[in-house]
Structure formats: C-alpha cells, structure tokens
C-alpha cells in the first residue's frame, strides 16, 4: 500500500488554491523546482496526472479534483492533531466571524474550550450575516468563519445539521391570521427564502411584517406575538411554540452549519480554534464531516 506524503499534499493544495506553481512555492516556502518535483512524486504515487496546463496557469484534472477534497481533509486533520497537543504554546491573534444567532448559541462554549487550552491567544470576533463573512474570509479579513451552508456559495466543511422550524409565540395565535405576518432576515437571507418558498408552495398567503439581520430582534417580534418566524432547532427559546403541518405550516429543509477558512499558509491558531469549533458544534455522530459547496 502506498502512503500519501502530507508535505506533498500541502503543496498540492497550495497550487490548487493559487492556480500557479510559482505562487504556491511562495506559500509553502520552497523553490519552484522543489514544488514541481513534489508534484511529480505525488502523481507517481497515485498513478494519475493531477494537473494540466491552462495557458500560464495550472488546472486540476478530474482526478486532481477528486484528490483535492481528500488532500484538504488530510492536511487539516494533521494540523488539528498537532494543534490539540501543542495549543498551550500558541500565542497571537485569530479572527473569527459568525452570524449573531450562532454567536448567542455556540460562542460561549467555543470560547471556553479554546481559552482553556490557549490562555495566551487573543480571539477577535465579528458578527455579520453569512454572505458578508464569506467575502471577508476570501479577502483575508477573517481567519475562519462559522456560516449557514447552501450549495451555491462555495466550499464549506459541514460541522452541524439541524432542522429548520416554524416558531410562534406560545401565548398568542398570530399564526392563525391571514395573511400570516412573518419576522425574517433581509431579502438575501437563505432562511427567509426557505420560509417564503414553502408558504408559496402551500398556497398560504403571507406578508413580511418585520425584517432584521439580528436574531434577537426577530425573536422579540415572535415572543411578542407579532409574527411567525423560522429558526433552527437549537435556537428555539422558552415561550416559543413550534408549528408543523397540523397547524398548516409545511415542512422546512434542514439547516447546515459550515466552517470556512482563509486560504494561504499555515495558521496554527486558526487550526486550533477550528478544532474546538468542531468539537463544540458536532452533532453528526459517527458521520464523517462533509466537504460541500456554502451561507446566512
């Protein structure tokens, strides 16, 4: 059995991310000839070509695309393993982004886990909607972000799956009104799209009564009996009632929570924080974390 070399895989990922052997050489701190030799040895090891020329850029072959998913996992798992043993020595700053509703529910445990093993590290947290966070990660303004995953928004490592639910006040009957008043996120919010599409498919009239990208404001409208909204299961608060088909509300899709990271060189602090995020959020049981295309 041939074993894959992690250093070769790290270089392979850098080439895939930068589109160039020359730029990848800078990222992994090797000469271009050393990078080329590593890729020749990697191709010899797996018995397939993983790159083809596309003008002045290096393009992945079909086999290279297949290898890339595995390479990212192997390199990341290796980094997280080392971080889990060495994270007491880590110092510096790591920048994390996540939507405010995820911050309310998940951030206390994430920060508690991370700070216990990294007491000298500084964590900068930014709360914004997913589409903003994706852009900030791509531009290098954040090291990693917890996002709502949807298929059309680029790669994301899925770390948690929850059911999206209709919620109303437990003390009011606003869900019986016609049209149904809704409290939702802004027009580009994916949960909003899921809610309105489900009601349209069920021929249930509705109106948008309250709009905010902050979950606290949306939850306040629900608890005051002013509107119906949609939330993932773990976000349902005391005083809220879950609505289902028996109440005339169609089933909603599941909500996938993903983790994305900035491209570039090694970042032990980000690797350590990513490890603690996955430990805190994991509800996938024995299911291997999925690499899938990303959201809210």
């Amino acid at each position: 059995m041939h074993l894959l070399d992690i250093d070769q895989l790290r270089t392979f990922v850098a080439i895939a991310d930068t589109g160039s052997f020359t730029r990848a050489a800078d990222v992994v701190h090797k000469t271009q000839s050393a990078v080329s030799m590593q890729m020749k040895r990697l191709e010899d090891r797996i018995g397939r070509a993983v790159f083809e020329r596309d003008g002045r850029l290096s393009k992945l072959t079909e086999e290279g695309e297949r290898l890339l998913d595995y390479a990212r996992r192997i390199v990341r798992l290796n980094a997280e393993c080392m971080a889990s043993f060495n994270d007491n020595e880590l110092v510096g700053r790591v920048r994390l982004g996540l939507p405010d509703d995820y911050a309310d529910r998940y951030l206390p445990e994430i920060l508690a886990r991370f700070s216990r093993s990294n007491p000298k590290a500084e964590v900068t947290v930014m709360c914004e909607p997913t589409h903003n966070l994706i852009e900030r990660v791509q531009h290098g303004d954040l090291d990693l972000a917890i996002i709502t995953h949807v298929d059309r928004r680029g790669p994301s490592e899925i770390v948690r799956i929850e059911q999206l639910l209709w919620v109303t006040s437990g003390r009011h009957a606003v869900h019986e009104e016609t049209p149904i008043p809704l409290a939702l996120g802004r027009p580009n919010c994916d949960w909003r799209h899921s809610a309105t599409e489900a009601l349209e498919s069920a021929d249930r009239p509705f109106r948008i009564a309250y709009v905010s990208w902050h979950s606290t404001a949306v939850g306040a409208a629900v608890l005051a009996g002013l509107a119906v909204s949609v939330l993932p299961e773990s976000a349902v608060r005391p005083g809220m009632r879950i609505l289902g088909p028996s109440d005339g509300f169609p089933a909603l899709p599941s909500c996938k929570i993903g983790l994305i990271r900035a491209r570039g060189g090694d970042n032990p602090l980000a690797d350590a924080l990513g490890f603690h995020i996955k430990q805190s959020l994991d509800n996938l049981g024995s299911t291997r974390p999925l690499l899938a295309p990303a959201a809210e």
Side-chain angles (χ1 to χ4, degrees):
M1 175 184 294
H2 296 295
L3 297 178
L4 293 171
D5 183 284
I6 288 179
D7 194 43
Q8 293 173 3
L9 294 178
R10 185 180 293 108
T11 300
F12 169 67
V13 170
I15 298 169
D17 286 345
T18 64
S20 162
F21 278 51
T22 303
R23 290 195 290 269
D26 292 335
V27 170
V28 298
H29 308 293
K30 298 182 186 298
T31 64
Q32 185 173 346
S33 60
V35 166
S36 298
M37 180 60 68
Q38 278 193 311
M39 291 306 95
K40 183 180 185 306
R41 289 174 178 167
L42 179 61
E43 290 180 331
D44 289 344
R45 188 163 302 224
I46 67 172
R48 299 283 192 279
V50 294
F51 289 108
E52 58 187 3
R53 300 299 297 178
D54 183 10
R56 303 177 69 177
L57 299 178
S58 298
K59 180 182 177 183
L60 289 172
T61 63
E62 184 176 342
E63 289 80 6
E65 292 281 3
R66 182 150 49 105
L67 176 63
L68 182 60
D69 280 349
Y70 290 105
R72 289 194 194 281
R73 287 185 211 157
I74 292 168
V75 170
R76 186 169 295 150
L77 187 59
N78 178 74
E80 289 174 358
C81 177
M82 297 307 298
S84 71
F85 288 101
N86 299 325
D87 53 12
N88 280 323
E89 303 174 7
L90 296 177
V91 296
R93 182 169 71 108
V94 61
R95 301 162 300 171
L96 170 67
L98 70 172
D100 72 320
D101 48 346
Y102 292 168
D104 288 343
R105 302 201 303 281
Y106 305 129
L107 199 54
E109 181 178 353
I110 292 169
L111 293 182
R113 281 174 173 266
F114 183 69
S115 64
R116 279 197 296 267
S117 47
N118 299 276
K120 297 179 181 179
E122 174 189 331
V123 183
T124 298
V125 178
M126 179 180 295
C127 293
E128 291 191 7
T130 285
H131 64 279
N132 292 17
L133 296 173
I134 292 173
E135 291 180 359
R136 290 192 178 278
V137 170
Q138 291 172 342
H139 294 157
D141 298 328
L142 290 172
D143 298 305
L144 65 172
I146 302 168
I147 61 170
T148 303
H149 165 89
V150 289
D151 290 342
R152 67 179 181 276
R153 288 185 173 168
S156 158
E157 183 177 9
I158 298 172
V159 294
R160 187 177 183 87
I161 299 176
E162 294 189 14
Q163 183 60 45
L164 200 59
L165 300 170
W166 295 102
V167 292
T168 188
S169 168
R171 300 186 295 109
H172 302 84
V174 66
H175 61 284
E176 297 177 358
E177 294 182 13
T178 302
I180 303 162
L182 299 178
L184 298 170
R186 297 195 298 181
N188 56 359
C189 170
D190 295 291
W191 297 350
R192 173 170 170 158
H193 293 164
S194 296
T196 57
E197 288 174 5
L199 291 176
E200 287 168 354
S201 297
D203 293 323
R204 290 291 308 272
F206 64 88
R207 65 182 180 89
I208 307 296
Y210 298 91
V211 177
S212 177
W213 74 5
H214 294 295
S215 62
T216 301
V218 170
V222 171
L223 290 171
L226 302 175
V228 172
S229 190
V230 292
L231 293 173
E233 188 173 4
S234 68
V236 178
R237 305 180 195 173
M240 291 181 178
R241 173 187 166 192
I242 296 172
L243 301 169
S246 62
D247 303 294
F249 287 82
L252 292 164
S254 61
C255 168
K256 297 177 181 178
I257 300 173
L259 182 64
I260 58 174
R261 309 174 192 235
R263 293 179 176 180
D266 293 338
N267 188 334
L269 266 179
D271 291 333
L273 181 55
F275 171 80
H276 289 290
I277 287 170
K278 291 196 288 186
Q279 291 292 306
S280 298
L281 268 62
D282 177 43
N283 72 344
L284 303 178
S286 60
T287 303
R288 184 174 61 192
L290 304 174
L291 286 178
E296 155 119 3

